[in-house]
Amino acid sequence: MRGIFIRHGESTGNAGLPSHDLALIELTELGRTQAQRVAHAWREAPTLIVTSPFLRTQQTAAPTIARFPGVPVEVWPIEEFTYLQPARWKDTSRADRMPHLEQYWGRADPHYVDGDGAESFATLLRRADAALTRLAALPDDALVYAFSHGQFMQAVRALVTQAELDERGKMQNFWRKDEPMIANVEQVRLARSASGWQLLPP
């Protein structure tokens, strides 16, 4: 089977605006344009479309859903990694959060939980592994378009390409201060065979 993860289009959070509720962050006008371009660029109809519960992925998926109206749509727990306690990021911009980000990633403890409402890096990896397991259970000829988030997609990619690293090793390779590892509407393409998962070229 094949699974294509797509990061959501540019969101108001990506554009530097303060965030109040991570699940309700919307796309910018650029993000909406990006979502339309994604929908027009598909070369095959999928057998399943998946989104995270978060609004920005559902808005990104909407033009693709409209293009393939007969394809089933499911919501899976493939939402963004919430590693800071919500009280630290509520109504803040990324610049405001940077000291907390640097402290969190500098700690490099995959089991550390920042507070109520946060999850550990190890939990993120388990969610990513559960998504891969769910995909692997689909028929061999399945093609899934999964609209997700940058850090969740990084976790999926790390499980496939960095299997030799333990959780701490994966975490140490995970974050870069000044650059997103996966850009808006970038894709991570995977194929499953008898030998396991493989990362496909973009």
Side-chain angles (χ1 to χ4, degrees), residues 54-176:
F54 285 14
L55 178 60
R56 56 194 181 275
T57 62
Q58 295 176 357
Q59 290 176 327
T60 306
T64 294
I65 293 170
R67 181 178 170 190
F68 304 110
V71 174
V73 179
E74 296 180 2
V75 177
W76 290 9
I78 58 173
E79 68 271 13
E80 187 57 287
F81 179 30
T82 303
Y83 55 91
L84 291 185
Q85 182 180 16
R88 296 188 190 277
W89 55 254
K90 188 176 182 181
D91 297 321
T92 66
S93 67
R94 190 173 191 272
D96 298 327
R97 295 190 294 273
M98 186 54 66
H100 299 299
L101 302 183
E102 292 176 331
Q103 183 179 31
Y104 178 86
W105 292 106
R107 182 191 298 265
D109 178 356
H111 300 287
Y112 171 73
V113 177
D114 193 54
D116 291 342
E119 66 178 335
S120 69
F121 184 78
T123 301
L124 170 67
L125 293 179
R126 287 195 294 272
R127 281 202 293 120
D129 185 62
L132 288 174
T133 299
R134 198 166 175 178
L135 288 173
L138 296 174
D140 291 344
D141 61 351
L143 171 61
V144 177
Y145 297 161
F147 291 83
S148 186
H149 303 258
Q151 290 184 322
F152 186 87
M153 291 166 60
Q154 281 177 242
V156 169
R157 187 168 62 186
L159 290 174
V160 174
T161 64
Q162 300 176 10
E164 76 284 359
L165 298 180
D166 62 11
E167 292 174 343
R168 181 177 174 83
K170 289 182 176 70
M171 189 173 187
Q172 289 172 326
N173 287 340
F174 201 80
W175 187 72
R176 300 291 183 273

Side-chain angles (χ1 to χ4, degrees), residues 24-67:
L24 298 179
I25 294 172
E26 296 191 69
L27 296 184
T28 62
E29 285 304 310
L30 173 58
R32 294 177 187 278
T33 298
Q34 291 171 330
Q36 291 287 348
R37 290 175 181 162
V38 167
H40 290 307
W42 295 122
R43 297 182 180 180
E44 295 180 71
T47 53
L48 176 66
I49 297 171
V50 173
T51 77
S52 89
F54 285 14
L55 178 60
R56 56 194 181 275
T57 62
Q58 295 176 357
Q59 290 176 327
T60 306
T64 294
I65 293 170
R67 181 178 170 190

